[in-house]
Amino acid sequence: MTLGTPERPLRVAIIGAGPSGFYAAEALFKSEKALTVDMFEKLPVPFGLVRSGVAPDHPKIKNVTKVYEKIASNPAFQFFGNVTIGKDISVDELKQFYDALIFTSGAASDRRLGIPGEDLAGSHTATEFVAWYNGHPEYRDRHFDLSQETAVIIGQGNVAIDVCRILSKSVDELKQTDIAKHALDALAESKIKDIYMIGRRGPAQAAFTPQEAKELGELEIADAMVSSRDMQLGAICEAELLLADKGHNRKNMEILKGLAEKGATGKARRLHVEFFYSPVELRGEGRLQEVVLERNALSGEAGKQKASGTGEKRILPCGLLFRSVGYKGTAMPGVPFHESWGVFPNEKGKIETGLYVAGWIKRGPSGVIGTNKPCSYETVEALLADLDQLPGCEQPFTQALLDLLKSRQTRVVSFDDWRQIDAAEVARGQEVGKPREKFTRVADMLAVLEGTPAAVSV
Ligand code: NAP
């Protein structure tokens, strides 16, 4: 029987309910094929990094979930929240129920610095901190020692900027956001005064984007400080800035120059944006006490300059450090994995016939939310091009899948269930003047649904 017809609709499972998963569903629904899309997600709640990654003080970015809700309202879409692939059900088992699988599981781990002392207490990944303040259940019990006066962030991407902003803002600036309550309470006691954001290359190479850089100059209780010395560029950097694809770097330079000219204005906290330093060692007796930085020089042609150590070292005392040097994808049993790139190896989103991939686990951890749309569309194109080669699954029945999950005591959370959790979070938020007060424990999310059987159609 031909797949993708009313007689035998194509059955696609999407694994991961972040932006790339929803854009893949959208692309499938826009095709002319008869099909169903079942989206699996480890947490009982959807939206991936839009919920757990986007900074709470960037509410407008989160409005994109309205687009995802519309996609989810398609009658051919079903959400299977609270289902962990590889634990509740394996990839091989999923293949029995679906004709094609699209992995959109993101990049759940981090790149490492590979320096001595990296794992000392007090040294964390930025992703842990971000997931903690955003109320991700797996991170909500982490502890960050905010009694320290100095915090260092290694890396200068937008994640580093987010972390700097959260550390630099007052509770008054944060309390009306959807920041998790436990994080707001902890940040209210913060003693941090000096925050260093350290980049291994120069201001012309900073990875953050101008909109985010601009916000550094608008902090209520922190002065963003940039050294004029760092802003003096060599000839190669000047040439680099003239390259056609360096528009955001040129804008960054203007903003950073403004910050260097403004200098300190006596605010309670200082955010030092520093360039040309790499951490070479983290030191401390049992816990982090100082970071050893080495001054770098750049070499190479314009647009491809690399940093290397000059031998000049500097010790920066600090008790709290965040490594923000990029995310990394993790393996999933039953799916080919490229260990050093941290992606599922693929050709335009195709891993092999029947297995596809989109988003960060396809192309690596880069780009903004919108970047995932063309990425997912490309993947769906590859999938649909394979339609005639797909063998068709053995058991095209959702009930059989549900029975299997039920036999394993998995409480499947449907999209209607999520709507209940969503409404409860929004109601809790209204009581305290926040757009939502997130549930940060899976048990609390499921408790909202007590007595409500999962409304999944078969
Ligand atoms: P990123 O943009 O790739 O930045 C990584 C940073 O780490 C760069 O400054 C990089 O420096 C540095 N780095 C890498 N390896 C290093 C090492 N060994 N030692 C020192 N520094 C090192 O990654 P990200 O900040 O994790 O962000 C991921 C993606 O999400 C980005 O595309 C970002 O724009 C996006 N995002 C967007 C927003 C937003 O739109 N508001 C918010 C958060 C994240 P080099 O440049 O020298 O490699």
Side-chain angles (χ1 to χ4, degrees), residues 37-276:
V37 173
D38 289 352
M39 180 179 278
F40 291 82
E41 165 61 47
K42 185 157 102 167
L43 291 179
V45 293
F47 307 143
L49 278 186
V50 179
R51 179 180 168 104
S52 308
V54 172
D57 58 343
H58 280 170
K60 282 193 193 143
I61 298 180
K62 296 180 199 229
N63 285 340
V64 72
T65 58
K66 294 202 175 79
V67 175
Y68 306 154
E69 274 160 16
K70 195 156 171 249
I71 296 165
S73 69
N74 189 309
F77 176 94
Q78 295 207 71
F79 181 64
F80 290 70
N82 198 36
V83 180
T84 304
I85 307 305
K87 181 172 150 262
D88 296 312
I89 185 164
S90 70
V91 169
D92 280 343
E93 285 171 324
L94 268 191
K95 284 182 191 168
Q96 296 168 21
F97 301 101
Y98 296 96
D99 307 313
L101 309 183
I102 305 181
F103 296 94
T104 57
S105 42
S109 180
D110 303 84
R111 280 192 210 129
R112 290 186 60 82
L113 287 171
I115 60 170
E118 185 161 3
D119 295 316
L120 274 174
S123 161
H124 310 270
T125 60
T127 48
E128 285 171 78
F129 187 61
V130 169
W132 171 78
Y133 64 63
N134 277 324
H136 190 297
E138 288 167 15
Y139 296 87
R140 58 101 56 223
D141 292 322
R142 296 293 163 98
H143 175 73
F144 302 95
D145 184 3
L146 300 169
S147 71
Q148 299 291 329
E149 293 203 348
T150 303
V152 170
I153 293 93
I154 304 297
Q156 292 185 330
N158 281 335
V159 172
I161 289 233
D162 284 348
V163 170
C164 287
R165 255 195 352 272
I166 297 299
L167 292 173
S168 302
K169 284 196 169 183
S170 66
V171 166
D172 280 344
E173 286 170 277
L174 294 172
K175 70 182 182 197
Q176 286 174 342
T177 72
D178 70 358
I179 191 167
K181 182 179 181 307
H182 60 252
L184 192 64
D185 292 345
L187 287 163
E189 302 298 319
S190 171
K191 299 279 182 294
I192 290 175
K193 287 196 172 62
D194 286 282
I195 300 138
Y196 290 82
M197 181 170 65
I198 310 274
R200 63 178 168 182
R201 297 192 288 162
Q205 290 81 29
F208 48 70
T209 43
Q211 177 58 34
E212 279 62 35
K214 196 166 152 277
E215 287 178 62
L216 299 182
E218 297 162 356
L219 297 165
E220 274 180 27
I221 63 156
D223 282 319
M225 325 242 300
V226 177
S227 130
S228 309
R229 175 189 166 205
D230 283 350
M231 296 306 294
Q232 285 157 18
L233 301 186
I236 302 178
C237 286
E238 294 286 6
E240 184 167 319
L241 285 173
L242 297 176
L243 297 174
D245 63 343
K246 299 295 175 195
H248 91 254
N249 303 80
R250 286 192 287 276
K251 286 190 191 142
N252 278 349
M253 281 300 294
E254 287 311 308
I255 294 160
L256 292 167
K257 269 183 202 158
L259 293 177
E261 278 159 23
K262 192 169 165 200
T265 64
K267 291 182 182 173
R269 295 180 195 171
R270 288 164 296 276
L271 168 54
H272 311 261
V273 184
E274 296 211 2
F275 300 95
F276 302 111

Side-chain angles (χ1 to χ4, degrees), residues 269-288:
R269 295 180 195 171
R270 288 164 296 276
L271 168 54
H272 311 261
V273 184
E274 296 211 2
F275 300 95
F276 302 111
Y277 278 108
S278 281
V280 289
E281 187 180 355
L282 306 188
R283 290 184 190 157
E285 293 290 318
R287 76 172 320 288
L288 178 69

Side-chain angles (χ1 to χ4, degrees), residues 403-421:
D403 290 346
L404 180 66
L405 289 170
K406 201 169 170 198
S407 73
R408 294 174 181 173
Q409 272 81 47
T410 306
R411 183 359 173 149
V412 175
V413 173
S414 68
F415 211 77
D416 276 347
D417 289 338
W418 150 245
R419 288 189 182 105
Q420 279 193 54
I421 297 172

Side-chain angles (χ1 to χ4, degrees), residues 267-347:
K267 291 182 182 173
R269 295 180 195 171
R270 288 164 296 276
L271 168 54
H272 311 261
V273 184
E274 296 211 2
F275 300 95
F276 302 111
Y277 278 108
S278 281
V280 289
E281 187 180 355
L282 306 188
R283 290 184 190 157
E285 293 290 318
R287 76 172 320 288
L288 178 69
Q289 287 167 322
E290 58 188 32
V291 49
V292 184
L293 299 169
E294 181 173 7
R295 184 86 181 162
N296 288 330
L298 299 186
S299 60
E301 60 185 273
K304 293 183 183 159
Q305 293 192 85
K306 289 204 166 124
S308 47
T310 60
E312 182 193 323
K313 305 248 174 83
R314 162 187 168 207
I315 290 170
L316 181 57
C318 78
L320 184 61
L321 180 138
F322 296 103
R323 288 126 40 204
S324 184
V325 295
Y327 291 75
K328 195 170 177 222
T330 51
M332 190 177 284
V335 191
F337 183 62
H338 192 297
E339 193 64 50
S340 56
W341 295 351
V343 298
F344 296 171
N346 67 91
E347 181 63 37

